[in-house]
Structure formats: structure tokens, C-alpha cells
Amino acid sequence: MLPEIVFTTQDLPASDRFEAWTEQLGRTHAPMQLSSERTADYRGHQRLIGLGDVTVWPATFDHLVFRRTPRLVRQSDPEVFHLSLLRHGDGAASWGREQVAYRIDDFHVNSSSRAYEISTGPDPVTIVGVEIPRAALDVPADRASRVVGSRISGREGMGALLAGLLVQLTSDTSAYRAADAERLGTVVTDLVSAVFAHALDAESGLPPETHARTMTLRIKSFVRRHLGDPELTPAKIAEAHHISRSYLYRLFQDEGLTVASYIRDQRLAHARRDLTDPGLRALPIHAVAARWGYSRPGDFTRAFRTAHGMAPSELRDQALNRTAVDGAHMDVDAVRTTALDALTHH
């Protein structure tokens, strides 16, 4: 599991919550002046996920106004860029005469080296924040600073790739090992560099290795979206991304993979999830296979048995039996609880 620290104001007395939240955000990004309409009983929840030099922090909090003044910048500047992916709620930011309002799935880009004011709407907001050292980006600092104040969409293009990675990463960190943190930090850094370069129309200035890693992420995202297509082939993938097949193969070889094995593993992983889902037990196995790109059930069964050491039907039976046993245990616990409640009330 990735290193993670959870902070919630609900663990504190109501009178201490807002001051503690102010201190927490000051340590997360940079010292700020915060104000809110709900200081009397402030609700804020944050998870800090460490990825080497990069920090990702999903958070939900009440109305807030952030102010980083020129004096605070002079007193303390960690020299980091901050990105916020807005998931729920709304917000706006101003840098002197520059003002930007943000919509759901927009990225807000900020810098600890600049004074600013940010305000959220009256309802709680949910964001995924990213803190990344200015020196870590593959875009020159003076050019990268020009992205500050931009509204970058997380619904399309490079922004969608970054948003997808952040949402997947923060939804469940148990799928990763602590040793993955540095690697994931590199991936996030590469994607942020690519997002900045795209915003500056300067992608040609990125180092070749950043281009390669970004292209690989883009291709993997494309593959996952088209797993149900039985005609998903290396030739089709290469054509969709305007690259040669030899370059496509080289990108995956650099990660110790082949294109075919990545497609197969993704299809089988999704099929396994469906086969163990009690809500899909009525879906025939051949339909599950077709759903994930296997037009011939026999091919699916052979591939599944090779990967998991059992037939798809065996896995489904095991999963359903386990669900039935768990349900029986729950029923017994419910009976015991009811009986205890009855005895207590008598």
C-alpha cells in the first residue's frame, strides 16, 4: 500500500477544527490566510499520498477562501506548482487582474511563488490536489509559470489522461506497493509536464523519454476503452496514434511488456471481475467473454485457464459459493443481534 496520512477535522473539538485545517493546508502547500463562513464547526477531510517528491491529496471541505499574500510568498516559498482537479462543487481564483472560474473536472493550476486568492462555493467541494516541485518538470520554469491561471479541462486530451490517473490512483491505493511510490511520482510528473507543454503548445520541447512515457499512457488508456473490440490489434492501435508498429512495440518493450500481453491481461482482469460479481451471475460466460473482446468462447476459456489455473465456470462457482456462505454468516449474526436486543429490552 502507498504511504498515506489521513487528516479529518471531525477528530477534533469543534472550536479547534478551523485552525487545525488552516495549519494542515499550510503544511500541504504553503502558508496561507484562510477564512470561511463555517469556522464555528469546520468540516474538512484530507488524505496525503506520498509519491517521492510529488504529493497527491484528495480532500473534501467546507466553504473556504485561500489568500497567499506577497508577504507570505517572501517569507516562505517551497517553489512548487499546485494542481487541483475539481470533482464536486465550484470555485474561482484571481491573480490581480486575472480571474478564472472552474467547473467540475477542470484543473486549477497555481504556484507557491505567486500571490493569489481562491474562493469556493457555499457547498462543500471535493478536489484531488497535486503538489509537484517546480524543478521536477521537464518544462522550463519561466515557461511553466505561464500556465498558472489557466483552466485546463480534465475531460479531454492530455488533461483527461492526468485526471484519469489521479482518480484511479486515489480511489484505491491498496493495489500498489510502497515501492511503487517513486515510479508513480515519475508518471505523474511526466503527465503534468505534458499537460503544461500542451497548454503552452510546446510539446516538441519535451525530452524524448517524457514523450515516450506519455504516449504509452495514452495508448494504454485507448486499449482499456476498446477492450470489447475483437479487432483490437497492434496495427489498429498504431494507426489510431499515428505511429509505426515497430515504435509501438518498442514502447511496450521498454516496460517489459508486449502489446498482445497487455491487451490479454486487461481483458482477463475485467472478465474475472465480472465473473466474481454476484450482480452479473445471470450473464452467460460466453457473454462475459464477448463483452471483453473474445468472440470465440473456446479461446476465452483457454486463455483464462492458462492465466488463472481454472476454467471461468469454476471461478464463478467458487465466487458464488463464497457469497452464499458470507450471506449465511450475516443472517446468523442478524439473528443473534435480534435475539440479544430482545433480551436486553426484556
Side-chain angles (χ1 to χ4, degrees):
M1 191 169 181
L2 295 175
E4 183 172 326
I5 300 172
V6 178
F7 178 84
T8 178
T9 60
Q10 297 301 102
D11 293 338
L12 302 171
S15 59
D16 297 339
R17 291 174 181 173
F18 187 71
E19 182 179 354
W21 187 250
T22 299
E23 292 177 356
Q24 180 68 13
L25 291 193
R27 289 190 296 268
T28 301
H29 173 61
M32 292 173 283
Q33 296 174 355
L34 301 187
S35 59
S36 174
E37 299 168 354
R38 299 186 55 89
T39 55
D41 182 16
Y42 197 80
R43 294 169 299 173
H45 182 275
Q46 180 199 60
R47 293 162 51 214
L48 276 172
I49 304 169
L51 305 177
D53 292 334
V54 177
T55 303
V56 176
W57 53 281
T60 299
F61 48 90
D62 284 335
H63 166 262
L64 202 58
V65 177
F66 308 75
R67 293 185 184 89
R68 184 153 166 80
T69 64
R71 181 179 179 182
L72 286 173
V73 173
R74 290 193 299 271
Q75 289 176 346
S76 174
D77 183 7
E79 298 187 352
V80 296
F81 283 111
H82 167 81
L83 292 86
S84 288
L85 175 64
L86 185 62
R87 301 287 289 155
H88 299 287
D90 51 48
S94 64
W95 298 264
R97 295 180 180 179
E98 302 174 61
Q99 294 185 337
V100 181
Y102 299 93
R103 300 177 297 169
I104 300 297
D105 291 330
D106 276 346
F107 277 102
H108 154 71
V109 181
N110 214 335
S111 168
S112 63
S113 303
R114 289 185 59 178
Y116 56 77
E117 179 173 312
I118 304 168
S119 58
T120 69
D123 298 324
V125 299
T126 296
I127 68 164
V128 179
V130 178
E131 306 297 327
I132 186 165
R134 188 168 64 194
L137 296 182
D138 287 327
V139 179
D142 58 334
R143 290 180 58 77
S145 295
R146 289 163 49 189
V147 181
V148 172
S150 300
R151 183 176 64 193
I152 296 173
S153 173
R155 297 173 293 278
E156 58 189 13
M158 300 304 302
L161 277 179
L162 178 59
L165 172 65
L166 294 175
V167 170
Q168 179 181 350
L169 175 66
T170 56
S171 64
D172 182 12
T173 59
S174 65
Y176 307 98
R177 298 188 297 270
D180 294 326
E182 292 278 355
R183 303 185 193 100
L184 288 168
T186 299
V187 172
V188 172
T189 300
D190 285 340
L191 269 180
V192 172
S193 295
V195 167
F196 276 36
H198 182 76
L200 293 164
D201 196 25
E203 287 184 303
S204 59
L206 290 176
E209 58 270 21
T210 299
H211 267 298
R213 285 194 289 258
T214 303
M215 177 60 76
T216 303
L217 288 168
R218 186 182 296 173
I219 290 169
K220 287 181 175 179
S221 177
F222 175 86
V223 168
R224 290 193 297 271
R225 292 196 309 272
H226 294 85
L227 288 174
D229 180 4
E231 301 301 321
L232 183 63
T233 63
K236 188 170 185 176
I237 295 168
E239 181 182 359
H241 292 85
H242 310 291
I243 59 176
S244 67
R245 272 183 286 178
S246 60
Y247 182 59
L248 173 65
Y249 295 143
R250 191 160 63 250
L251 289 174
F252 278 76
Q253 286 169 359
D254 289 344
E255 297 200 349
L257 299 170
T258 67
V259 181
S261 68
Y262 182 76
I263 295 172
R264 181 197 63 228
D265 292 347
Q266 289 294 311
R267 282 174 167 165
L268 292 177
H270 283 78
R272 180 186 176 92
R273 184 194 63 193
D274 286 357
L275 290 169
T276 57
D277 185 348
L280 296 176
R281 58 182 174 269
L283 187 66
I285 290 176
H286 68 82
V288 172
R291 186 180 191 185
W292 299 112
Y294 286 95
S295 54
R296 293 187 292 188
D299 292 344
F300 172 64
T301 299
R302 282 190 293 274
F304 195 91
R305 188 186 294 276
T306 299
H308 298 294
M310 65 178 72
S313 57
E314 293 177 79
L315 178 70
R316 171 172 271 181
D317 289 343
Q318 285 185 7
L320 292 178
N321 289 337
R322 194 178 306 116
T323 301
V325 170
D326 291 344
H329 287 163
M330 290 176 63
D331 290 343
V332 170
D333 290 342
V335 170
R336 288 173 179 166
T337 301
T338 302
L340 287 171
D341 285 345
L343 286 170
T344 302
H345 286 89
H346 282 80

